[in-house]
Amino acid sequence: MPFTTMPLIRRVLSRVTEDYLLLALLLLLPLLLWLKPTAPAGLFALVDWHTVAALAGLMLLSRALEDSGYLVRFAAWLLQLCHSQRMLAILLVLFAALLSAIVTNDVALFILLPISLSIGRLTGVPAGRLIIFLALAVNAGSSLTPIGNPQNLLLWQASGYSFWQFTLMMAPLALSLLLLILLLSCAAFSGHKLSISVPHNSSHDNRHLFGWSLAGYPLFILAMEYQLAPYAALLVLALYVLLKRSVVTGIDWLLLLVFMLMFIDLGLLAQLPLLQQLAMQLVALPNGSYTGAALLSQLISNVPAAIFLQHFTDDWRALSWGVTVGGFGLAIGSLANLIALRLSKQAGLWREFHYWSLPVFAGSLLLGWLLL
């Protein structure tokens, strides 16, 4: 083995051993394969490759926007409109919720996470807490429309409802959840005046990188709509390798491995007879489709829960509301949570996320039950 490869291998091993979620998924896989033996082709089929490709492309585009330096400019402009941390948080929560209903929750996070990190550097506002509330906001806002998140898209198509019928069905819960998160934002952020320090150097800005990457967002989203995400992601990767290789090397590529392992582990878990029996028992509870979907999402995430439980119920409102509420609580409840926590790279954020998210889960579970 060439000596020059040793530092790279050591860095990779160090990253893997420090990533507890990745380690847990790796350690769980042999047990699941023992319980549910599956050929390699079957494991490959469990991965949603369109989602993985879409995630890769969005990571590249968002990293390029951040490296361009223009997000710092936008953050500085946004700060001029806000006079306190609380006002800033409320504005970002509202914007994140609205954006996620239009361009999906993961895309909204990829756009807003770098901006939030820039705001934290410019003001001293706790960027980690901002990111937590952005994750909560996109989970609430994306539930409004059929295209806001993967589980809504799945259940919309399965239900046979029109776009507006599904939106009206989700509106009471989505708006109530957003109000809950806004009220919590008022308690989480102080009314202290923002102190802005902008160490801006325009020579570091890359106008061409910003322009290409910004134009790439709608084109990439369009490719996702037409199920062309793998080809579009390869094109984006090739362009950055040729034009701006630092964007490619700055990506947390292990995040893609985490998502692939999640699809495999959760897919195998959903096939276990014990879990299938659990699902039937959950649906049999009072408001079972709603409560069962919320609780099962805490175990296997809300997208697999929606895929699994649609075979046991035709109460589309209860099921859709349940997987929406299930996106709160534990981080695994929603892929958007994992994206936010992984990309933020803030020390101690996983613990603080649950400090806020678990009460939101309890409150939203009760709120949805009352609305039903």
Side-chain angles (χ1 to χ4, degrees), residues 101-124:
I102 300 170
V103 300
T104 75
N105 52 6
D106 51 356
V107 175
L109 282 175
F110 277 111
I111 293 172
L112 292 173
L113 280 177
I115 295 173
S116 298
L117 292 171
S118 296
I119 286 173
R121 288 192 293 268
L122 297 177
T123 65

Side-chain angles (χ1 to χ4, degrees), residues 62-256:
S62 64
R63 178 68 190 208
L65 285 178
E66 184 176 7
D67 286 357
S68 74
Y70 275 80
L71 289 182
V72 176
R73 286 193 178 192
F74 177 78
W77 172 82
L78 180 64
L79 291 172
Q80 302 302 320
L81 304 178
C82 303
H83 303 295
S84 68
Q85 293 186 14
R86 184 174 296 131
M87 184 182 298
L88 173 66
I90 289 173
L91 181 62
L92 284 175
V93 164
L94 285 172
F95 184 50
L98 175 62
L99 192 61
S100 65
I102 300 170
V103 300
T104 75
N105 52 6
D106 51 356
V107 175
L109 282 175
F110 277 111
I111 293 172
L112 292 173
L113 280 177
I115 295 173
S116 298
L117 292 171
S118 296
I119 286 173
R121 288 192 293 268
L122 297 177
T123 65
V125 171
R129 188 169 299 176
L130 270 180
I131 289 167
I132 290 169
F133 276 83
L134 287 182
L136 298 176
V138 299
N139 281 325
S142 66
S143 68
L144 179 62
T145 66
I147 60 173
N149 53 51
Q151 64 270 20
N152 273 15
L153 183 60
L154 167 75
L155 297 175
W156 170 44
Q157 294 175 335
S159 68
Y161 291 171
S162 70
F163 184 96
W164 294 112
Q165 283 176 326
F166 192 93
T167 301
L168 288 173
M169 178 184 77
M170 299 301 298
L173 180 67
L175 297 176
S176 298
L177 292 177
L178 179 57
L179 179 60
L180 175 64
I181 293 167
L182 285 171
L183 291 174
L184 195 60
S185 301
C186 293
F189 295 90
S190 73
H192 295 157
K193 187 175 180 180
L194 289 174
S195 176
I196 305 171
S197 174
V198 186
H200 182 69
N201 185 347
S202 60
S203 64
H204 293 161
D205 292 344
N206 191 322
R207 183 176 301 175
H208 294 298
L209 180 61
F210 175 76
W212 297 333
S213 304
L214 188 63
Y217 259 100
L219 294 175
F220 193 81
I221 293 170
L222 187 63
M224 291 166 58
E225 290 293 322
Y226 285 95
Q227 302 299 309
L228 298 173
Y231 305 104
L234 286 174
L235 177 60
V236 170
L237 176 62
L239 288 174
Y240 285 127
V241 166
L242 293 173
L243 302 174
K244 192 72 172 176
R245 192 167 299 178
S246 61
V247 171
V248 179
T249 57
I251 296 297
D252 180 10
W253 292 107
L254 283 180
L255 178 60
L256 296 182

Side-chain angles (χ1 to χ4, degrees), residues 9-30:
I9 293 175
R10 282 197 294 267
R11 285 199 300 270
V12 171
L13 289 175
S14 175
R15 286 281 291 108
V16 170
T17 54
E18 292 172 357
D19 192 322
Y20 298 120
L21 177 59
L22 178 57
L23 278 176
L25 291 169
L26 286 170
L27 293 174
L28 182 60
L29 183 57

